[in-house]
Amino acid sequence: DMADADSSRPTACVLFAAHSHIAKDCEGENREFMQCKGESNDPAHCLRQGAAVTSCMAAVLRRLNSTCPTEFGAYASCLQKNGMEFAECRQEQQAFEAKLGQD
């Protein structure tokens, strides 16, 4: 399954398809991580914040995959087939967003 969130390494097309939901739902985690990165050049300094970002992203992918797996997978597949060009996948995106809006 293209949108399988159980994978520890989601594909680029899955991340592209979920990007707006990840950005919205993980805004706080991302902000804390970026603030931390600005404080230190030591990668180990921000491991906790990085883990929080990863955990949030995985939770978003699990939610999307459980709520609308067919539509999410179709959107991700379209992006993969079309070089990550959102304009080429508006129909799949609309179906995905419509299904999410039904909950």
Side-chain angles (χ1 to χ4, degrees):
D1 182 276
M2 182 71 59
D4 187 1
D6 292 329
S7 170
S8 61
R9 296 178 187 229
T11 60
C13 59
V14 167
L15 293 174
F16 269 62
H19 83 279
S20 64
H21 299 278
I22 293 169
K24 181 174 62 96
D25 294 357
C26 302
E27 180 180 3
E29 291 86 346
N30 281 317
R31 184 175 33 256
E32 286 184 28
F33 179 70
M34 295 310 293
Q35 286 174 344
C36 182
K37 295 292 285 181
E39 296 169 2
S40 174
N41 289 330
D42 178 9
H45 181 70
C46 302
L47 290 176
R48 181 180 57 80
Q49 293 86 347
V53 170
T54 301
S55 176
C56 183
M57 181 242 1
V60 170
L61 293 179
R62 280 192 301 274
R63 177 177 59 83
L64 296 177
N65 201 42
S66 67
T67 303
C68 49
T70 301
E71 295 82 1
F72 185 39
Y75 184 31
S77 292
C78 181
L79 288 169
Q80 182 179 39
K81 291 175 193 169
N82 290 286
M84 306 301 180
E85 291 291 331
F86 291 110
E88 299 296 323
C89 299
R90 293 299 182 209
Q91 183 176 348
E92 291 81 0
Q93 180 187 18
Q94 288 172 352
F96 166 57
E97 297 294 345
K99 178 70 173 181
L100 278 176
Q102 291 176 1
D103 288 350

